[in-house]
């Protein structure tokens, strides 16, 4: 198909956003996606009148108004604006999310315990009496105190990550887990309504089509502008010839380009990148992730009025439940609702044990907490994901930085949650894609005889 300026490996949000920005910079990209449709984790499926987001609950928000407006522009008006209404299920109560801003929903004794420990910890930090944290577990106690840590944050995070929280580095905290202003927590404890995580308090979601509509909208833009998006083309090998051209080989074709944007899973790309990275490619296999099952239920009846609910309870298999029909009423038929439950696993062996067992335990758990009481499940499916959450252990940073340096030296640029092995929200992926496109343009302009 001729020589392209840039080959984009992967047609998820990262790859499609990269192609979008590369085109807008005047470059000619081509996208190769392994599956038969684009989207990555942004996948939706229509089953029996219900629309499920099969890669888990995803919403559109951003601290940057510019980034948010750019994403919404791509959806061409197919979106709804929502104000977050989310809860944490704790001892039969629905506590306002985030937990530290919902202390007024706790019984008085527990409210007191949380506030007492938070203040004691705060004073200890100011006096320098508490050692600085060295890992995620220590950071939770260092910031929130014992009660909030042990009532919610430690059990919930242990449940979702399926590893000892001491194995998770402080890199995970940066930019993702905000330090709560103590004044706001005190207000919450005495009954004054306060909001936490304000950057996602207002969020957006497609009116129709589920979250995959964002990926489809990007693809439509690329198609209209004659940017090739090849689906069903898993990349098997990447090499560089003597003239510096990159060869991206799929099962059925060979793509030639001057630069590559790589958004596929680093963990699973050691053989693809073996010629470019040499022995360093083997280190990619040491990267760790959390597998995920997403259980979708189409239910006859009325849903709870929430967008999503967190479940720290160790006896319940799921850690989060989302009511997608509360995101958009078009996600379910009249007098029914769409629900997805997310279940993380320690490894792939557990993930692939039995979809039916996972489904049964999810339904039993939802019945136990009263969510499915008197309701009728009309549709049920389970979707499995080998990689969902990136684990920030002690090895991750060193591996990623060495691989990035070597790849960029030869014109291969990592991008996205799995391409960079970094837990990025959708807005961060879109923004990083723009930055990566600019880096690619700079790289190409430095090649002999090229000026874009």
């Amino acid at each position: 198909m001729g020589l392209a300026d840039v080959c984009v490996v992967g047609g998820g949000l990262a790859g499609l956003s990269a192609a979008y920005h590369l085109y807008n910079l005047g470059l000619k990209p081509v996208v190769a996606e392994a599956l038969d449709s684009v989207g990555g984790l942004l996948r939706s499926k229509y089953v029996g009148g219900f629309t499920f987001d099969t890669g888990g609950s995803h919403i559109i928000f951003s601290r940057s108004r510019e980034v948010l407006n750019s994403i919404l522009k791509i959806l061409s008006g197919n979106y709804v604006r929502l104000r977050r209404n989310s809860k944490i299920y704790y001892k039969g109560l629905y506590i306002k999310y985030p937990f530290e801003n919902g202390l007024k929903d706790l019984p008085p004794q527990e409210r007191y315990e949380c506030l007492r420990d938070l203040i004691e910890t705060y004073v200890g930090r100011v006096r320098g009496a508490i050692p600085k944290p060295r890992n995620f577990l220590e950071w939770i106690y260092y910031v929130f105190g014992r009660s909030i840590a042990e009532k919610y944050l430690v059990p919930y995070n242990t449940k979702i990550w399926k590893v000892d929280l001491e194995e998770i580095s402080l890199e995970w905290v940066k930019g993702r887990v905000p330090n709560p202003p103590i004044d706001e927590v005190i207000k919450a404890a005495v009954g004054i309504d306060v909001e936490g995580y304000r950057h996602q308090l207002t969020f957006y979601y497609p009116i129709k089509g589920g979250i995959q509509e964002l990926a489809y909208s990007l693809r439509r833009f690329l198609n209209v502008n004659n940017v090739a998006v090849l689906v069903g083309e898993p990349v098997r090998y990447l090499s560089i010839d003597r003239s510096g051209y990159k060869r991206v080989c799929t099962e059925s074709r060979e793509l030639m380009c001057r630069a590559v944007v790589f958004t596929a899973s680093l963990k699973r790309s050691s053989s693809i990148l073996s010629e470019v990275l040499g022995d360093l490619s083997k280190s990619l296999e040491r990267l760790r992730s959390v597998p995920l099952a997403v259980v979708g239920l189409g239910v006859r009846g009325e849903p709870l009025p929430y967008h999503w609910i967190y479940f720290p309870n160790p006896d319940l298999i799921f850690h989060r439940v989302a009511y997608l029909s509360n995101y958009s009423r078009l996600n379910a038929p009249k007098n029914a609702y769409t629900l997805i439950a997310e279940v993380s696993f320690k490894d792939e062996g557990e993930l692939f044990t039995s979809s039916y067992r996972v489904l049964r335990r999810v339904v039993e758990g939802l019945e136990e907490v009263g969510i499915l009481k008197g309701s009728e499940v009309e549709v049920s499916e389970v979707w499995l994901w080998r990689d969902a959450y990136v684990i920030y252990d002690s090895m991750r940073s060193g591996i990623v930085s060495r691989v990035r340096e070597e790849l960029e030296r030869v014109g291969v640029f990592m991008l996205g949650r799995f391409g960079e092995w970094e837990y990025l929200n959708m807005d961060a992926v879109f923004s990083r894609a723009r930055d990566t496109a600019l880096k690619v343009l700079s790289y190409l302009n430095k090649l002999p005889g090229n000026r874009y």
Side-chain angles (χ1 to χ4, degrees):
M1 67 187 312
L3 179 67
D5 293 324
V6 188
C7 292
V8 180
V9 178
L13 178 62
L16 296 172
S17 298
Y20 172 85
H21 290 298
L22 289 164
Y23 173 82
N24 286 333
L25 289 175
L27 298 174
K28 178 185 176 184
V30 57
V31 180
E33 163 58 36
L35 300 180
D36 58 4
S37 65
V38 297
L41 283 176
L42 302 189
R43 291 191 182 276
S44 305
K45 187 173 181 181
Y46 184 79
V47 184
F50 299 88
T51 299
F52 299 97
D53 290 343
T54 67
S57 173
H58 299 278
I59 57 174
I60 300 168
F61 65 91
S62 183
R63 288 184 173 91
S64 166
R65 173 52 62 174
E66 178 189 0
V67 171
L68 179 61
N69 287 342
S70 296
I71 295 173
L72 296 179
K73 181 180 178 182
I74 291 166
L75 284 169
S76 302
N78 178 27
Y79 59 83
V80 61
R81 184 175 185 266
L82 300 158
R83 183 179 175 85
R84 182 187 69 213
N85 183 9
S86 299
K87 302 291 183 179
I88 297 157
Y89 184 84
Y90 175 76
K91 295 184 178 180
L93 302 173
Y94 288 97
I95 309 300
K96 181 179 178 178
Y97 166 83
F99 192 86
E100 63 272 16
N101 293 112
L103 297 185
K104 66 183 180 66
D105 297 329
L106 292 173
Q109 178 62 32
E110 295 203 52
R111 196 186 316 165
Y112 158 72
E113 292 166 359
C114 290
L115 185 57
R116 176 200 63 199
D117 291 351
L118 181 82
I119 292 174
E120 287 181 356
T121 301
Y122 176 79
V123 172
R125 289 203 310 270
V126 171
R127 291 178 173 175
I130 303 176
K132 291 289 181 68
R134 297 163 297 176
N135 54 61
F136 185 36
L137 179 65
E138 291 180 359
W139 181 88
I140 292 174
Y141 282 92
Y142 182 81
V143 172
F144 293 91
R146 181 174 60 84
S147 288
I148 293 177
E150 295 180 358
K151 292 178 191 299
Y152 172 59
L153 286 171
V154 171
Y156 179 76
N157 281 286
T158 300
K159 184 176 181 179
I160 189 174
W161 292 108
K162 296 295 187 291
V163 298
D164 188 327
L165 299 185
E166 290 180 307
E167 296 181 41
I168 298 179
S169 74
L170 291 176
E171 283 183 289
W172 157 247
V173 175
K174 296 175 184 176
R176 293 207 54 91
V177 189
N179 286 16
I182 191 167
D183 181 62
E184 291 192 358
V185 181
I186 294 173
K187 286 179 179 178
V190 299
I192 299 174
D193 196 35
V194 292
E195 300 290 353
Y197 296 7
R198 290 186 180 89
H199 58 285
Q200 59 155 227
L201 181 59
T202 297
F203 68 94
Y204 299 80
Y205 185 85
I207 296 173
K208 58 181 179 180
I211 198 63
Q212 193 167 13
E213 191 59 31
L214 176 57
Y216 285 159
S217 296
L218 281 165
R219 182 176 182 176
R220 282 193 289 270
F221 172 88
L222 297 173
N223 287 345
V224 165
N225 291 286
N226 298 314
V227 175
V229 179
L230 311 173
V231 296
E233 295 281 357
V235 172
R236 300 304 186 196
Y237 201 65
L238 192 157
S239 63
I240 303 173
D241 66 21
R242 292 180 179 177
S243 61
Y245 290 137
K246 284 71 178 172
R247 293 191 309 123
V248 176
C249 302
T250 73
E251 290 184 342
S252 62
R253 69 181 76 205
E254 181 179 284
L255 305 173
M256 296 292 293
C257 51
R258 292 182 169 87
V260 173
V261 174
F262 196 88
T263 74
S265 170
L266 283 180
K267 175 182 177 180
R268 306 184 187 280
S269 297
S270 60
S271 61
I272 296 173
L273 298 172
S274 60
E275 181 173 316
V276 178
L277 293 176
D279 292 341
L280 184 57
S281 66
K282 287 295 182 182
S283 68
L284 297 176
E285 298 172 6
R286 296 160 61 196
L287 296 171
R288 299 163 68 192
S289 63
V290 180
L292 182 74
V294 177
V295 176
L297 301 176
V299 185
R300 184 63 56 182
E302 287 297 318
L304 292 176
Y306 311 130
H307 292 116
W308 62 87
I309 307 168
Y310 298 98
F311 291 86
N313 322 52
D315 54 324
L316 298 172
I317 191 173
F318 45 86
H319 59 266
R320 180 169 64 172
V321 165
Y323 289 94
L324 298 186
S325 47
N326 290 344
Y327 295 14
S328 170
R329 274 306 311 163
L330 296 184
N331 281 345
K334 188 176 180 181
N335 300 321
Y337 60 92
T338 301
L339 176 152
I340 59 171
E342 298 171 52
V343 183
S344 64
F345 292 88
K346 187 176 181 64
D347 53 43
E348 291 181 41
E350 285 189 358
L351 176 71
F352 292 111
T353 299
S354 171
S355 292
Y356 174 75
R357 181 182 64 84
V358 172
L359 172 61
R360 178 174 52 80
R361 289 191 61 190
V362 165
V363 171
E364 289 174 350
L366 293 173
E367 290 174 340
E368 178 184 331
V369 299
I371 286 180
L372 290 182
K373 185 177 181 180
S375 301
E376 181 183 349
V377 176
E378 296 191 347
V379 172
S380 62
E381 285 206 30
V382 180
W383 298 276
L384 306 179
W385 299 88
R386 299 167 75 191
D387 300 318
Y389 306 126
V390 170
I391 295 178
Y392 282 67
D393 61 13
S394 60
M395 295 185 296
R396 175 201 158 272
S397 179
I399 293 172
V400 170
S401 61
R402 290 194 301 273
V403 168
R404 186 191 301 276
E405 180 180 2
E406 186 62 24
L407 290 180
E408 290 194 2
R409 185 181 64 82
V410 295
V412 179
F413 298 86
M414 296 155 43
L415 176 64
R417 177 181 294 195
F418 302 118
E420 297 181 74
W421 212 250
E422 186 171 348
Y423 199 129
L424 300 173
N425 288 327
M426 291 164 58
D427 64 321
V429 170
F430 188 80
S431 180
R432 291 267 184 103
R434 178 186 58 191
D435 296 342
T436 300
L438 290 170
K439 287 172 68 174
V440 171
L441 178 63
S442 176
Y443 168 81
L444 292 176
N445 279 329
K446 291 175 183 176
L447 296 178
N450 288 329
R451 195 70 192 170
Y452 291 87

